[in-house]
């Protein structure tokens, strides 16, 4: 009687596979895996988008916080002192060009030459500046703190005929950093904050666009 022949399985002989049988090791590709079987990095479109939105939200929050300034910081130049000299036939500054200062600034008038006074011609309705009517000589000083915004016009009685007139303008946001107290224009703090936030947001958007253009196709599902 012939012995029953034993069939060999593919796993009995290394390197051989049996026809019709399934390989015990099955390679699968889940959504999000690259075609070479390696897993993709943990970065996804959703993560990048979420990061961009989070950054933009942070920038907006910081911009809003910057807009909320305390009341005592609104007039940061309050308490400053500027000097106006009474020289020959002019107030310097004030005659050739207006002296522009923020409310709360003290103006110190200094007599450099003789025979001058300060006669007020006009001022804002709520202001109470009386000027200095007595005529004084070299070395005399007089000061006044201007509080009410608006235009103040004045002149020197002895020298009015030769054009010794002056103008002071009180404007919110002016600063007293110029020569002889001449005010310089300033950019509001909230405008600077908004500009910085806008630039930062543009950088974030540019990065996101670059990311999707260069790497977006690598995250598409394999066919």
């Amino acid at each position: 009687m012939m012995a029953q022949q034993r069939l060999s399985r593919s796993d009995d002989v290394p390197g051989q596979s049996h026809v019709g049988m399934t390989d015990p090791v099955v390679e699968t590709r889940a959504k999000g895996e690259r075609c070479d079987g390696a897993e993709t990095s943990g970065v996804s479109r959703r993560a990048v988008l979420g990061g961009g939105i989070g950054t933009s939200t942070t920038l907006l929050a910081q911009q809003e916080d910057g807009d909320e300034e305390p009341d005592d910081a609104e007039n940061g130049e309050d308490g400053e002192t500027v000097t106006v000299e009474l020289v020959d036939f002019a107030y310097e500054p004030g005659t050739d060009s207006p002296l522009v200062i923020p409310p709360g600034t003290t103006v110190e008038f200094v007599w450099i030459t003789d025979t001058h006074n300060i006669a007020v011609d006009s001022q804002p309705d709520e202001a109470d500046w009386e000027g200095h009517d007595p005529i004084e000589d070299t070395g005399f000083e007089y000061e006044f703190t201007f509080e009410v915004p608006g235009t103040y016009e004045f002149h020197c009685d002895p020298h009015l005929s030769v054009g010794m007139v002056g103008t002071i303008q009180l404007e919110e946001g002016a600063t007293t950093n110029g020569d002889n107290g001449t005010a310089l224009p300033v950019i509001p703090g909230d405008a600077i904050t908004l500009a910085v936030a806008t630039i930062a947001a543009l950088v974030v958007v540019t990065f996101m666009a670059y990311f999707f253009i260069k790497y977006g196709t690598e995250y598409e599902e394999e066919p």
Side-chain angles (χ1 to χ4, degrees):
M1 182 175 180
M2 295 181 63
Q4 185 178 1
Q5 185 178 2
R6 181 175 179 272
L7 297 177
S8 298
R9 294 179 56 186
S10 60
D11 53 357
D12 293 334
V13 182
Q16 296 182 358
S17 60
H18 191 273
V19 178
M21 299 189 65
T22 303
D23 192 339
V25 180
V26 180
E27 180 181 2
T28 61
R29 294 178 180 174
K31 182 178 180 180
E33 292 184 343
R34 297 175 59 112
C35 59
D36 57 1
E39 294 184 355
T40 61
S41 63
V43 182
S44 66
R45 296 179 181 179
R46 182 174 299 177
V48 175
L49 181 58
I53 294 176
T55 302
S56 300
T57 302
T58 301
L59 293 173
L60 290 175
Q62 293 176 348
Q63 193 268 332
E64 291 178 357
D65 292 340
D67 291 343
E68 297 178 358
E69 298 180 355
D71 294 338
D72 57 359
E74 291 181 356
N75 293 324
E77 297 295 331
D78 286 1
E80 293 290 333
T81 300
V82 299
T83 300
V84 172
E85 297 180 344
L86 285 70
V87 182
D88 296 329
F89 311 124
Y91 299 95
E92 298 181 351
T95 296
D96 294 335
S97 61
L99 170 63
V100 184
I101 55 177
T105 301
T106 298
V107 178
E108 184 179 46
F109 297 88
V110 179
W111 273 245
I112 303 301
T113 57
D114 297 337
T115 320
H116 300 299
N117 73 339
I118 304 171
V120 179
D121 295 319
S122 63
Q123 59 183 314
D125 294 337
E126 299 179 359
D128 59 354
W129 184 39
E130 298 180 353
H132 187 79
D133 287 332
I135 297 175
E136 307 290 352
D137 295 328
T138 303
F140 183 79
E141 296 181 0
Y142 158 79
E143 67 179 30
F144 182 81
T145 300
F146 293 84
E147 300 285 356
V148 181
T151 301
Y152 298 75
E153 296 181 340
F154 50 96
H155 69 271
C156 173
D157 287 326
H159 303 112
L160 177 60
S161 60
V162 293
M164 188 171 180
V165 298
T167 302
I168 295 176
Q169 294 179 355
L170 265 67
E171 298 180 359
E172 298 287 352
T175 181
T176 56
N177 293 330
D179 296 335
N180 295 325
T182 302
L184 299 176
V186 296
I187 300 176
D190 55 350
I192 296 176
T193 303
L194 179 60
V196 173
T198 301
I199 294 174
L202 288 175
V203 172
V204 173
V205 172
T206 302
F207 167 76
M208 293 175 64
Y210 170 80
F211 178 88
F212 286 127
I213 292 174
K214 185 172 183 179
Y215 300 105
T217 57
E218 295 185 6
Y219 294 92
E220 294 180 356
E221 184 177 359
E222 291 293 332

